[in-house]
Amino acid sequence: MCGIIAHLATDDAVNGLIEGLDRLEYRGYDSAGIAVSDGSDLSVYKRAGEISDLKSDLSAAPLTGKIGIGHTRWSTHGPPTDENAHPHTGDRERVAVVHNGVVENHRRLRKQLRADGHEFTSETDTEVIPHLIEEYLEAGDSPEMAFRRTVDDLEGGNAVAAVFEDEARIFASRDGSPLVVGIDDDEYYLASDVPAFLEHTSDVIYLEDGDVVIVEPDQLRILDPDGSSVKRSHETVDWDPEEAGKGAFNHYMLKEINEQPTSLTNTVRGRIDAEQEIVFEELDTGIFDGIEEVHFVGCGTSHHASLYSARLMSRAGICARAFRASEYVETSGPISEKTLVIAVTQSGETADTLAALREATNRGAPTLAVTNVMESTAAREADETVFIRAGPEIGVAATKTFTSQAVTLALLSQKIAGELPQATLREDLPELLEALARIPEDVQQVIDQNQAAELARDLLTYDAYFFIGRGSSLPVALEGALKFKEITYEHAEGFASGQLKHGPLALVTPNTPVFSLFTGEEIEKTITNAKEAQTRGADIIGIGSADSPGQSVSDAYLEIPATHPVCESLLANVQLQLISYHTADLLGRSIDKPRNLAKSVTVG
Ligand code: M6R
């Protein structure tokens, strides 16, 4: 996820661009840049680092221009360096471009452009865009036609904004990545999100996929994919600019829960090809040669995602174990060059996880980091890295990063199973891959049902809250309990459902509801365990599909769409995220910054 801003001003565009980048910083913050023009020469300044670094450089060496574009980056293709920062230009520097999304066919386009003599200066997928535009300009196209033909050539979900040499216009397009127009009398803005310009105007036009926008000093034109002018309606946004980073949501956590259909689309994009092969293009699969066992290391939510993946690997006949990273040194047992150690960490900076990763390296194990942050310490120190592509997460409670971790790790587990001779591929792999590809829509359905908000009202007066599950649903029961305690400050515990009668049942009373995951492959056993709790007076809050037999034993039921058993608990997890959120909200807790906790735990 990156942030785009473009501004056509009556005097100077630079302040509007910089303010917009500040407001979009939540979308990415590892490099930034702007390009401005007065309708003649283009000036570009960009650098790795935070927007504050860009600002201080620009105050020492100001740029001016009435039209401009800006970008704040969250690296996906190429690390955060000055060269990889946006805006990007072509060889002839006739156009500058900012981009949000992934150009899925960038390799093919780059190869073709190289063959035509273009030289590339960055590792980004974006850089093909200005080169393509220049190619069309050289062939005699007008800037408008060159821009339209270029965006038509791009595959994937993309939003693009461009300024040209000798042109007092901004060209932009939206296709699968957000872009919204702001109109402030004679001035115009284009941005990935409304907060970028809300200080100046609340008059907005939400573009549709396939739209191309051309902004000129006295008019704004919107073209459909055929080049015909189209009208899009104006809307008035009534958000408080101070709160607008959260959009229409009261908390970042709720915003991030609602972002999951988008973050999961990014997570799965390009990972399953047309032949149903699993693709991790950033990964050298040579790392799997000779591997006899897999160790996962991670903390908190990342540990739960690891447990989920380890179960999938065990099922494929791979010896796989998930360790709490803080316990790894004491509990790992022998490690060798035949042990693949996978460090799962959203931030890539968790001290305990890094310590476990270093222990593995010191003991000769090949290492793989699964992280959300390119250039994080884990990504730099591990032999190989896989990115979960969830985009920045601001709420301390991990939500969209958990689902992206779990989906990435589900795919990785099947990829590894395909590489190791001792493993067997699932017979239902095609169905599983189909369900993983469909998960963004299924999650959207859970969010749209909006059942959790109402149920949360009945949950405020209990003594404690228990969460039970079995098999691939146990990690989600543990995750549900962690989320609940983290933001409600109420006592919550997750248990393997089959373990209730070995101790935890002593805690069960009419004042302890039991969230029961009727998901996965052994639902009947969990039903039996839930009934044991119900007999002791506990209310059973079941989570499962409409036709799950768990529904009939439940006192309340949260429904999920029918899907592959392996994916069911991931959908149930979204219901549990919403339950935790709404309960914490009704209790008036500090949801985005729970007491005593930090987003990134960099001390061991
Ligand atoms: O950045 P990491 O994934 O390494 O963080 C690990 C834990 O600190 C983190 O998952 C924590 O448990 C979450 N705040 C839970 O919501």
Side-chain angles (χ1 to χ4, degrees):
M1 191 156 83
C2 301
I4 290 183
I5 173 89
H7 184 31
L8 186 149
T10 44
D11 48 11
D12 190 58
V14 173
N15 278 345
L17 294 176
I18 297 292
E19 277 171 25
L21 291 180
D22 270 334
R23 297 275 179 193
L24 292 172
E25 194 166 23
Y26 75 91
R27 298 180 66 87
Y29 35 75
D30 60 34
S31 38
I34 62 168
V36 287
S37 158
D38 260 333
S40 51
D41 293 342
L42 285 178
S43 313
V44 178
Y45 186 74
K46 60 182 191 166
R47 57 162 293 171
E50 298 188 357
I51 292 162
S52 53
D53 300 321
L54 178 80
K55 274 199 277 196
S56 66
D57 287 3
L58 285 173
S59 60
L63 297 184
T64 55
K66 283 187 179 172
I67 63 165
I69 54 177
H71 189 270
T72 180
R73 180 165 186 250
W74 178 258
S75 309
T76 54
H77 288 73
T81 59
D82 293 350
E83 293 74 26
N84 289 337
H86 299 215
H88 287 282
T89 52
D91 297 297
R92 291 158 195 96
E93 306 203 337
R94 294 179 64 185
V95 60
V97 166
V98 290
H99 163 234
N100 173 32
V102 178
V103 180
E104 283 177 8
N105 54 339
H106 74 101
R107 279 205 177 71
R108 188 168 52 70
L109 293 172
R110 186 182 269 251
K111 200 168 157 199
Q112 181 190 310
L113 286 158
R114 274 217 176 100
D116 292 340
H118 290 258
E119 281 178 22
F120 285 77
T121 55
S122 80
E123 296 158 75
T124 63
D125 53 335
T126 304
E127 201 190 333
V128 297
I129 302 173
H131 286 279
L132 261 180
I133 293 176
E134 288 192 353
E135 185 72 13
Y136 286 124
L137 289 174
E138 295 288 311
D141 280 352
S142 65
E144 179 177 327
M145 188 49 77
F147 184 80
R148 284 184 41 222
R149 286 177 76 182
T150 296
V151 295
D152 203 40
D153 287 343
L154 308 180
E155 289 171 13
N158 297 293
V160 180
V163 285
F164 289 68
E165 183 186 65
D166 298 330
E167 278 283 329
R169 297 188 283 176
I170 301 170
F171 295 83
S173 67
R174 177 202 157 117
D175 195 4
S177 277
L179 195 65
V180 54
V181 180
I183 300 147
D184 180 21
D185 296 326
D186 296 339
E187 305 210 350
Y188 296 95
Y189 295 85
L190 287 152
S192 304
D193 202 355
V194 174
F197 51 71
L198 198 52
E199 286 282 348
H200 302 282
T201 180
S202 54
D203 179 5
V204 307
I205 298 175
Y206 290 98
L207 298 171
E208 292 184 12
D209 281 343
D211 285 351
V212 165
V213 196
I214 302 166
V215 182
E216 305 179 29
D218 50 0
Q219 68 166 338
L220 171 105
R221 283 188 295 134
I222 303 176
L223 309 178
D224 69 10
D226 299 327
S228 312
S229 284
V230 282
K231 285 227 170 310
R232 302 278 177 237
S233 53
H234 287 239
E235 291 181 37
T236 305
V237 174
D238 60 358
W239 302 338
D240 168 359
E242 278 307 304
E243 288 292 297
K246 299 173 199 145
F249 300 99
N250 288 335
H251 297 96
Y252 279 106
M253 181 182 178
L254 186 59
K255 179 170 189 265
E256 286 156 2
I257 291 172
N258 276 270
E259 273 170 7
Q260 287 175 110
T262 308
S263 52
L264 287 166
T265 300
N266 291 333
T267 296
V268 293
R269 178 173 284 138
R271 296 283 196 220
I272 305 167
D273 71 12
E275 278 76 47
Q276 294 279 84
E277 291 293 324
I278 299 169
V279 182
F280 284 97
E281 60 178 23
E282 66 270 54
L283 179 67
D284 176 356
T285 51
I287 195 170
F288 303 133
D289 292 349
I291 291 302
E292 290 181 357
E293 60 170 354
V294 176
H295 288 181
F296 290 89
V297 292
C299 295
T301 292
S302 294
H303 174 59
H304 299 148
S306 304
L307 283 170
Y308 175 76
S309 184
R311 278 162 164 70
L312 292 181
M313 285 198 188
S314 302
R315 156 88 197 246
I318 301 168
C319 180
R321 286 185 288 161
F323 296 85
R324 290 186 171 84
S326 54
E327 298 288 312
Y328 191 57
V329 173
E330 297 292 326
T331 56
S332 68
I335 310 172
S336 74
E337 73 286 356
K338 294 177 180 159
T339 314
L340 173 66
V341 177
I342 304 181
V344 182
T345 165
Q346 185 281 129
S347 60
E349 303 297 346
T350 298
D352 285 326
T353 308
L354 292 177
L357 179 66
R358 288 169 188 151
E359 173 77 10
T361 304
N362 290 339
R363 290 164 69 180
T367 57
L368 166 61
V370 176
T371 183
N372 196 28
V373 185
M374 254 199 179
E375 288 300 291
S376 60
T377 307
R380 281 186 277 116
E381 293 193 7
D383 298 322
E384 292 290 327
T385 304
V386 160
F387 295 101
I388 64 167
R389 307 176 184 159
E393 188 174 67
I394 293 170
V396 165
T399 51
K400 64 174 183 170
T401 56
F402 173 75
T403 44
S404 286
Q405 282 176 332
V407 167
T408 305
L409 288 169
L411 289 167
L412 190 63
S413 65
Q414 304 312 304
K415 178 79 183 168
I416 295 177
E419 299 284 334
L420 300 188
Q422 71 269 34
T424 31
L425 281 175
R426 305 177 66 101
E427 279 173 15
D428 63 354
L429 184 60
E431 289 82 9
L432 173 57
L433 294 182
E434 236 170 73
L436 287 167
R438 212 183 47 238
I439 220 161
E441 293 102 86
D442 289 344
V443 167
Q444 186 65 62
Q445 223 176 298
V446 173
I447 290 168
D448 292 345
Q449 278 168 17
N450 201 17
Q451 285 177 292
E454 198 169 330
L455 180 60
R457 292 184 192 287
D458 302 329
L459 288 177
L460 305 181
T461 55
Y462 288 101
D463 292 343
Y465 304 79
F466 301 135
F467 295 72
I468 61 169
R470 182 181 281 270
S472 62
S473 301
L474 173 58
V476 171
L478 301 177
E479 173 61 11
L482 173 63
K483 214 92 311 172
F484 199 89
K485 72 179 83 161
E486 184 178 21
I487 61 166
T488 67
Y489 313 159
E490 297 296 315
H491 179 217
E493 291 301 328
F495 301 114
S497 53
Q499 292 294 309
L500 273 188
K501 54 184 167 302
H502 298 288
L505 209 47
L507 296 171
V508 170
T509 72
N511 253 328
T512 61
V514 178
F515 289 89
S516 305
L517 285 146
F518 298 129
T519 51
E521 275 143 346
E522 290 192 299
I523 294 174
E524 292 297 343
K525 287 185 178 162
T526 303
I527 291 176
T528 306
N529 303 135
K531 280 183 181 162
E532 289 158 6
Q534 201 170 38
T535 308
R536 273 85 190 169
D539 285 333
I540 300 302
I541 302 169
I543 308 111
S545 63
D547 58 3
S548 164
Q551 175 144 212
S552 59
V553 300
S554 300
D555 298 292
Y557 197 68
L558 293 166
E559 210 174 291
I560 56 163
T563 184
H564 190 284
V566 165
C567 297
E568 282 185 336
S569 61
L570 301 185
L571 302 182
N573 174 65
V574 177
Q575 288 286 24
L576 294 179
Q577 291 172 348
L578 288 163
I579 279 287
S580 295
Y581 171 79
H582 288 294
T583 310
D585 194 32
L586 290 167
L587 291 169
R589 304 300 189 224
S590 166
I591 292 182
D592 285 331
K593 291 185 181 158
R595 70 183 179 203
N596 308 336
L597 298 177
K599 184 71 185 158
S600 188
V601 185
T602 53
V603 286

